């Protein structure tokens, strides 16, 4: 079974290209509350998508699902609406899937599930220590469709230097095993193009298959549209590189347990080398 690939964009032309190339979910990112403070000084993607972006992307999607990351659970203030209002607006504008970031407790998840009320798929973004510590209770909440382990913020939460340290030290293994026992689909982190990234995508894809993951986000390094002037070049990258990822998946599907073990050892070695240089 192929990974569900997700790509973040609010550009309808890019969304159409991604969809036609085989990307399963187009990702609108409306999260902003607390994000700037949390990732201050880091070279991370800080977007400010909005309801209009959902509307624009909805118009061009015919095959891919529209995933919207809303803000973490919050009450209404003079600066922003409540979680419930934000969720209603996202669903009414066309979201197929809603992602909840930065939850910490089972109560956060219950409130989110109740607000969605079966109108869209519920995906949790597991990305802080408190959520990890409360995971057993969280997994008992009914209505969770998927869980994505967000390595970027989670590694910051643990004071680590590199997000794939969580893959090398067994943390991702432990989390996947817990989620798997509840029969909830899960994924983790992001992947770049084959041959690209500090930890090349081919190693990461094999880890997805070793761990039974079902989804991955295509990282900024996969196709950074801010640095590409021609739409034809974006289309070329997507058409070639999505095929390359799918070919890497076909290889991973036929790997033996020993081959997965050897790949994991290589990942640990590469991650340790990367961290030593940081």
């Amino acid at each position: 079974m192929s990974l569900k690939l997700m790509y973040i964009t609010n550009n309808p032309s890019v969304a159409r290209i991604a969809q036609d190339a085989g990307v399963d979910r187009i990702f609108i990112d409306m999260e902003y509350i607390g994000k700037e403070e949390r990732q201050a000084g880091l070279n991370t993607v800080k977007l400010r998508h909005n309801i209009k972006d959902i509307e624009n992307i909805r118009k061009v999607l015919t095959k891919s699902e529209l995933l919207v990351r809303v803000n973490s659970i919050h009450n209404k203030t003079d600066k922003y609406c409540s979680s419930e209002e934000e969720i209603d607006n996202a669903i009414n504008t066309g979201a197929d899937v809603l992602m909840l970031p930065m939850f910490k407790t089972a109560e956060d998840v219950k409130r989110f599930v109740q607000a969605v009320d079966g109108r869209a798929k519920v995906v949790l973004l597991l990305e802080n220590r408190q959520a990890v510590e409360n995971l057993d209770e969280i997994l008992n909440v009914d209505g969770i469709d998927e869980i994505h382990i967000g390595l970027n913020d989670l590694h910051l939460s643990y004071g680590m230097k590199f997000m794939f340290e969580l893959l090398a030290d067994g943390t991702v293994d432990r989390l996947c095993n817990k989620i798997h026992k509840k029969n909830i689909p899960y994924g983790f982190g992001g992947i770049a193009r084959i041959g690209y990234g500090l930890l090349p995508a081919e190693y990461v894809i094999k880890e997805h298959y070793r761990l039974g993951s079902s989804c991955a986000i295509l990282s900024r390094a996969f196709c950074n549209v801010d640095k590409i002037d021609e739409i034809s070049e974006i289309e070329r990258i997507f058409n070639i590189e999505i095929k390359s990822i799918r070919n890497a998946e076909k290889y991973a599907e036929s790997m033996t347990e020993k081959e997965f073990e050897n790949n994991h050892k290589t990942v640990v070695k590469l991650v340790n080398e990367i961290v030593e240089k940081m």
Side-chain angles (χ1 to χ4, degrees), residues 72-91:
S72 56
I73 291 296
H74 60 277
N75 296 319
K76 185 174 183 177
T77 71
D78 57 350
K79 294 182 179 180
Y80 41 76
C81 65
S82 68
S83 282
E84 286 74 12
E85 290 174 278
E86 183 180 43
I87 289 164
D88 283 344
N89 289 338
I91 293 172

Side-chain angles (χ1 to χ4, degrees), residues 116-266:
V116 175
D117 194 25
R119 295 174 294 164
K121 293 179 184 176
V122 167
V123 177
L124 304 183
L125 184 58
L126 177 60
E127 55 179 345
N128 61 73
R129 291 184 67 161
Q130 295 96 321
V132 171
E133 291 164 1
N134 293 322
L135 186 57
D136 290 335
E137 186 180 359
I138 288 165
L139 289 173
N140 287 326
V141 176
D142 290 332
I144 302 169
D145 293 302
E146 294 176 28
I147 297 178
H148 193 84
I149 302 167
L151 301 185
N152 194 33
D153 274 302
L154 188 57
H155 93 277
L156 296 176
S157 184
Y158 281 98
M160 295 177 174
K161 295 180 180 179
F162 182 44
M163 68 179 186
F164 284 114
E165 285 183 80
L166 294 163
L167 188 56
D169 74 358
T171 299
V172 174
D173 285 63
R174 290 189 292 274
L175 295 175
C176 288
N177 287 336
K178 279 193 173 189
I179 300 167
H180 177 73
K181 288 177 182 178
K182 290 292 186 177
N183 294 315
I184 298 172
Y186 52 88
F188 62 87
I191 53 176
R193 300 185 219 171
I194 299 299
Y196 288 74
L198 279 176
L199 181 62
E202 52 268 36
Y203 296 106
V204 181
I205 288 169
K206 292 171 186 175
E207 286 288 87
H208 275 274
Y209 273 74
R210 179 179 69 86
L211 293 167
S213 167
S214 62
C215 59
I217 297 171
L218 297 171
S219 69
R220 177 172 48 171
F222 176 83
C223 184
N224 189 349
V225 297
D226 293 333
K227 295 183 177 181
I228 302 172
D229 295 327
E230 298 295 330
I231 196 74
S232 59
E233 175 62 9
I234 294 171
E235 186 171 19
R236 187 192 69 82
I237 290 171
F238 269 95
N239 288 337
I240 292 173
E241 302 301 338
I242 294 296
K243 287 179 182 177
S244 296
I245 287 175
R246 296 309 188 192
N247 287 334
E249 287 188 77
K250 288 178 182 177
Y251 180 84
E253 284 177 346
S254 64
M255 286 175 63
T256 64
E257 187 174 335
K258 184 64 176 177
E259 287 173 321
F260 280 128
E261 182 182 333
N262 288 339
N263 183 73
H264 183 65
K265 288 179 180 177
T266 301

Side-chain angles (χ1 to χ4, degrees), residues 47-60:
L47 304 172
R48 189 69 183 271
H49 295 170
N50 56 45
I51 289 294
K52 186 65 177 177
D53 292 315
I54 301 176
E55 183 179 325
N56 291 338
I57 296 299
R58 177 76 275 166
K59 292 175 183 176
V60 305

